[in-house]
Amino acid sequence: MEKAVSLILDGKSLSERIRGKIEEEIEFWASKGFRRPTLSVLLVGDDPASQVYVGNKERACKKVGIRSLVYRLPRNTTTEELLDLIAQLNAEEEVDGILVQLPLPPHINQQEVILAINPKKDVDGFHPENMGRLVARMEDGFVPCTPLGIDLLLRHHSIELKGKDVVIVGAGFIVGRPLSLLMLWREATVSVCHIYTRDIAEYTIRADILISATGVPGLIKAHMVKEGAVVVDVGISRVGDQIRGDVDFEGVKEKAFAITPVPGGVGPMTVTALLLNTLKAYRRRFGLSVENLL
Ligand code: GUN
C-alpha cells in the first residue's frame, strides 16, 4: 500500500486567515474613533537578511492597518544613541510596540538595549521580564514571535503536545530557548540539542515533534526522523539563488506525518505572531481584554 502524502503545514494560508481577523479588529476600533496600533522597528546597519525581514514586517503591518515606523540607523550608531531613541519611544504615548531587529552590530551592547525596552512594549518578548513570564506561564506577557508562530501553527492543525516528545535542535536566544519553555508550558517532554550535543540523531529519532532552528541547510536527513513525526523547519538559508531550510524536505516528507515547507511555513507565522503581539500591546494600552486574541 502506498504511504499517504504527508500533511503540509502551510503557514502562508494560516497567516492570511489570522491577518484577516487582525485587520477586521483594527478596522472595528478605527470605526469607533480609536487610533491605529503603532509599531516602531529599529534596524541598525545594512545586514541584507535583516533588511528583508524588516521589509516583510513593514509590509505586513501596512496590510492589516498597523502603523509601522521604521528607523533605519547607520552601522556606526552607538549603544547610547540607540538607548536614547528607545527611551523616547518608551515615553511616546502613541507607540504600542518596539522591536529592535537582531543581530545588532558587535560594538552594540545587545543586553543593555533589550533591557531598555519597556516590557509592556516589548512585542519581541526578549526582555527578561517577558522571558520570566514565559517561565511562570503568565498569559499577559509577550511570547517571542517564532515560538508563538509555531505554537499557533501546531494548534491550528490540532497537533497534540501534551506528553509528547518534542526535540528542538538549536538553543539560540531568539528561537530554541524560548520555544523550549513554551513547549514545556504545553506539557511536552522537551529535549534541546545544541552544538555540543554529541549525537543529535540519537535525540531526533525519538521525536514526536521535531523542530530545527539551526540555519544549517539540509542538516536534518530522513534517517534522523521517526516514521510519523511532525517536522517543523525554522531554518532560512540562502544557498546560491535558493532559500533552503534545515530539513532535507524531499527525503523527510516521505517519513513525516506533517512537515512545514520553506519558504511558506514558519516564516510567515513569525510575522503574524508579531502582528498579534502588537495588537495585544495595543489592547493593553486601552485597558481592553487580551483574551481571545487567538
Ligand atoms: N532576527 C531574527 N529573528 C528575529 C526576531 O524574531 N526578532 C528580532 N528582533 N530580530 C530577529
Side-chain angles (χ1 to χ4, degrees), residues 42 50 53 57 99-103 124 126 144-146 174-175 270:
L42 283 56
S50 291
Y53 296 150
K57 290 170 187 177
L99 178 149
V100 178
Q101 186 66 27
L102 302 179
D124 248 334
F126 294 157
C145 301
T146 301
I174 293 174
V175 183
T270 294

Side-chain angles (χ1 to χ4, degrees), residues 167-183:
V167 177
I168 300 169
V169 185
F173 174 70
I174 293 174
V175 183
R177 278 180 272 160
L179 180 61
S180 67
L181 296 170
L182 186 59
M183 293 295 103

Side-chain angles (χ1 to χ4, degrees), residues 41-47 50 54 71 73-83 85-86 99-117 124 126 173-174:
V41 178
L42 283 56
L43 171 61
V44 184
D46 45 19
D47 176 63
S50 291
V54 167
Y71 296 80
L73 307 169
R75 202 193 140 69
N76 63 2
T77 302
T78 64
T79 302
E80 286 64 36
E81 286 167 333
L82 205 46
L83 295 177
L85 177 54
I86 290 169
L99 178 149
V100 178
Q101 186 66 27
L102 302 179
L104 287 165
H107 68 275
I108 294 179
N109 185 331
Q110 180 177 304
Q111 269 184 0
E112 241 189 287
V113 168
I114 289 171
L115 274 171
I117 298 170
D124 248 334
F126 294 157
F173 174 70
I174 293 174

